[in-house]
Amino acid sequence: MRVQITVVAIAVMLVGGKNPEALADSQSSTQDGASGIVTPEATIHIEGGYAKYGNYIGATSGDSQALEFSQKVVRDIQIRFINHKNELLDDKGQLIKGRTQTDFIIGLLRLKPGQVFREDLLQADLQRLRRLESFNQVDVNREEDASSVNIIYKIKERRFPSLILGGGSNDDVGLYGRVGYKDAYISGLNDKLDTTVQFSTKDVQFNSQFTSRYRPGEPNRLGYNIRSFRSRNISGTFNEDIRLANGNKVREGRFGGSVGLLRSFDDWDTSVALNYTRISLRDQEYNVAQVDRLGSPLSVSGTGIDDLFTVSFAVSRDQRDRRDNPTQGSILTLSTEQAIPIGLGNISSNRLRGDYIQYLPVSWIGNGRPTDNPEMLAINLQIGTTFGDFPPADAFNIGGLNSVRGYGYGKVASGRSYGLASVEYRFPIFQSIGGILFSDLASDFGSSETVLGEPGVLRDKPGSGFGYGLGLRLKSSFGLIRGDLGISDQGEVRFEVTTGQRF
């Protein structure tokens, strides 16, 4: 009997050309002429064997078992939009119209009309849509009969375009105003424009980026990204512990841009970009400075200005269940950036980085009900290094609200290499308010001594540091507001407020 079962199973695989679990794409079933397209009447009969796929009816007769597998086919996919009240119809009784083209959404899906229905592909498509920045909520329903399935996606779009007005004061430029504009529905194809302009009596800064994402439905068309920026801040590498000869803090100015091409391969997103950045070190009046008070160089060129022409390549795999406040999943990003020796500094170097985030759902104190701040453990591991010569201002600066909390920006180290590990326990308090316990640990692996001018060593940065603390998360109409109280291993206490999760 065992020999008979084996022979029948092998025969089925040879006829189908695939293993039993891949019979959805097999041509052994009745087809309409297209590979992988199966008519609703398609069935598989196996005598004495067993293949786990689809729904089946089993009957036992003597020593043999006859199984009939019925493969349901996706007959139709519908895209329906809902408003902020979760309604499908507007005040006039008409279906809500979204800004996103339905053909674009269907083009992102792997489960298409005419294919055999698979639950794993449906869930993967659902998560893929939930990770889009332009969608606030995505749900799916199914309508089934004996031979087919209709899939209905209900999508709530985010409110774009958005205009952001703000302002404040800092140690560099004093009072400033800020205007931001963001839209993720350009052309109905989820092309995205994100731009911010900051102005003051001393300076005008900006950061503008346009992204036209890769579309799986148009495999011969590459996505692209264009960015331009100009920024000015107190330097995190050359902080106030050692100032310039005139007593000013070191200001770090950057301007430049990039052009990148985007492509996706299954679950992997890739990008190749050409980038340019001019880094300049200046005093309070924005005059270029070549050395600090101790005579240490501030740039590779010796002029106070360095040019970075680079070619970068990055690959990432996003398996989060949703983009904002994911409840589970992970995201992995690997990148390399090669500097081309052109311009001031004649810099030739290569920078490697890895970033991994894992979200693990837990139920330690929660009651299982969904909230805006789900209970979970979130883990972030980062590592990076640079080979060759590079501007000291471009060192890995460790410390700050997005690094080791409890330390100021760049106060732990300014190194050639670094490693960072962070763990957060996130838990709900009320529907829109959550709490967090966190710890951060990072090190430069002793690499600060290899940075030009040894800025971290001269400023007595410890090279490694640990921070821990607690915080609050508030979901508001302006997005997620984050407040963290951090305590460093050197006894420093810092409370900082910003937007978005740490990771």
Side-chain angles (χ1 to χ4, degrees), residues 260-281:
L261 298 177
L262 313 175
R263 180 72 159 87
S264 297
F265 300 90
D266 294 329
D267 294 331
W268 293 92
D269 297 322
T270 63
S271 67
V272 178
L274 179 64
N275 317 281
Y276 169 71
T277 303
R278 166 160 282 195
I279 305 174
S280 60
L281 290 308

Side-chain angles (χ1 to χ4, degrees), residues 33-89:
S35 176
I37 307 300
V38 185
T39 63
E41 294 76 23
T43 58
I44 300 173
H45 300 274
I46 299 177
E47 294 290 341
Y50 176 76
K52 184 180 180 182
Y53 191 86
N55 301 316
Y56 66 87
I57 301 173
T60 301
S61 177
D63 292 334
S64 65
Q65 185 181 42
L67 301 179
E68 180 175 320
F69 289 78
S70 176
Q71 300 179 349
K72 294 187 178 181
V73 174
V74 178
R75 185 178 299 277
D76 187 29
I77 295 179
Q78 301 177 25
I79 306 298
R80 298 178 181 175
F81 295 96
I82 57 178
N83 58 21
H84 65 283
K85 298 180 181 179
N86 295 326
E87 299 171 336
L88 289 169
L89 303 178

Side-chain angles (χ1 to χ4, degrees), residues 355-375:
D355 192 337
Y356 178 72
I357 304 172
Q358 178 71 57
Y359 302 98
L360 302 171
V362 297
S363 299
W364 295 342
I365 64 171
N367 52 19
R369 291 183 298 182
T371 70
D372 293 333
N373 298 278
E375 186 180 5

Side-chain angles (χ1 to χ4, degrees), residues 312-332:
S312 60
F313 172 76
V315 58
S316 66
R317 188 181 188 187
D318 190 345
Q319 295 184 305
R320 296 173 294 178
D321 61 344
R322 62 190 187 194
R323 183 183 183 92
D324 292 336
N325 269 356
T327 62
Q328 60 184 351
S330 64
I331 179 169
L332 171 67

Side-chain angles (χ1 to χ4, degrees), residues 201-420:
T201 57
K202 292 185 177 182
D203 197 47
V204 175
Q205 304 176 38
F206 59 86
N207 190 349
S208 297
Q209 183 168 280
F210 178 80
T211 302
S212 180
R213 60 176 293 139
Y214 172 74
R215 303 164 195 163
E218 303 177 41
N220 295 324
R221 173 195 175 276
L222 294 175
Y224 63 91
N225 177 286
I226 302 173
R227 181 189 178 212
S228 63
F229 60 89
R230 185 175 189 272
S231 65
R232 163 178 164 162
N233 294 287
I234 301 294
S235 176
T237 303
F238 306 101
N239 58 33
E240 62 270 20
D241 292 342
I242 298 177
R243 304 192 177 194
L244 298 174
N246 61 6
N248 287 173
K249 298 177 182 178
V250 181
R251 270 73 174 174
E252 185 178 309
R254 294 175 181 249
F255 80 86
S258 65
V259 178
L261 298 177
L262 313 175
R263 180 72 159 87
S264 297
F265 300 90
D266 294 329
D267 294 331
W268 293 92
D269 297 322
T270 63
S271 67
V272 178
L274 179 64
N275 317 281
Y276 169 71
T277 303
R278 166 160 282 195
I279 305 174
S280 60
L281 290 308
R282 302 172 181 266
D283 63 14
Q284 186 174 1
E285 302 302 322
Y286 224 46
N287 299 311
V288 176
Q290 299 178 1
V291 296
D292 63 16
R293 180 175 56 82
L294 300 180
S296 300
L298 303 180
S299 64
V300 175
S301 69
T303 65
I305 299 175
D306 285 327
D307 290 322
L308 272 177
F309 288 89
T310 66
V311 177
S312 60
F313 172 76
V315 58
S316 66
R317 188 181 188 187
D318 190 345
Q319 295 184 305
R320 296 173 294 178
D321 61 344
R322 62 190 187 194
R323 183 183 183 92
D324 292 336
N325 269 356
T327 62
Q328 60 184 351
S330 64
I331 179 169
L332 171 67
T333 303
L334 303 172
S335 66
T336 179
E337 188 172 8
Q338 177 65 48
I340 305 170
I342 301 175
L344 291 173
N346 199 36
I347 296 168
S348 178
S349 63
N350 185 270
R351 172 173 288 208
L352 300 173
R353 296 191 70 175
D355 192 337
Y356 178 72
I357 304 172
Q358 178 71 57
Y359 302 98
L360 302 171
V362 297
S363 299
W364 295 342
I365 64 171
N367 52 19
R369 291 183 298 182
T371 70
D372 293 333
N373 298 278
E375 186 180 5
M376 72 170 70
L377 283 177
I379 302 169
N380 180 212
L381 302 175
Q382 298 180 29
I383 194 167
T385 191
T386 304
F387 299 96
D389 296 329
F390 61 94
D394 215 35
F396 291 111
N397 288 314
I398 306 172
L401 58 88
N402 290 317
S403 180
V404 180
R405 285 161 284 191
Y407 281 89
Y409 175 60
K411 291 288 191 175
V412 175
S414 294
R416 175 184 294 271
S417 305
Y418 86 107
L420 170 67

Side-chain angles (χ1 to χ4, degrees), residues 90-196:
D90 59 20
D91 295 336
K92 298 180 180 180
Q94 302 295 318
L95 287 173
I96 301 293
K97 293 183 178 180
R99 293 184 60 192
T100 308
Q101 295 183 20
T102 56
D103 289 344
F104 167 78
I105 298 174
I106 294 176
L108 296 175
L109 307 177
R110 294 180 63 184
L111 189 59
K112 307 285 188 182
Q115 292 180 342
V116 174
F117 175 80
R118 286 175 51 183
E119 182 68 30
D120 60 333
L121 290 184
L122 176 65
Q123 294 303 317
D125 286 341
L126 180 61
Q127 291 189 17
R128 187 174 295 107
L129 295 181
R130 285 175 173 174
R131 288 195 294 265
L132 293 178
E133 185 178 3
S134 51
F135 296 158
N136 187 53
Q137 178 181 328
V138 182
D139 296 309
V140 64
N141 294 328
R142 286 176 287 181
E143 296 177 349
E144 304 183 45
D145 56 29
S147 61
S148 64
V149 180
N150 290 334
I151 300 174
I152 303 171
Y153 287 97
K154 295 183 179 180
I155 298 175
K156 181 190 295 184
E157 295 179 313
R158 294 188 186 278
R159 296 182 177 180
F160 286 118
S162 60
L163 182 65
I164 301 174
L165 302 175
S169 177
N170 61 36
D171 293 339
D172 182 21
V173 299
L175 293 174
Y176 64 86
R178 182 175 295 164
V179 178
Y181 177 85
K182 187 175 185 178
D183 193 359
Y185 296 120
I186 297 175
S187 302
L189 300 172
N190 282 34
D191 291 345
K192 175 183 172 183
L193 174 64
D194 190 352
T195 184
T196 302

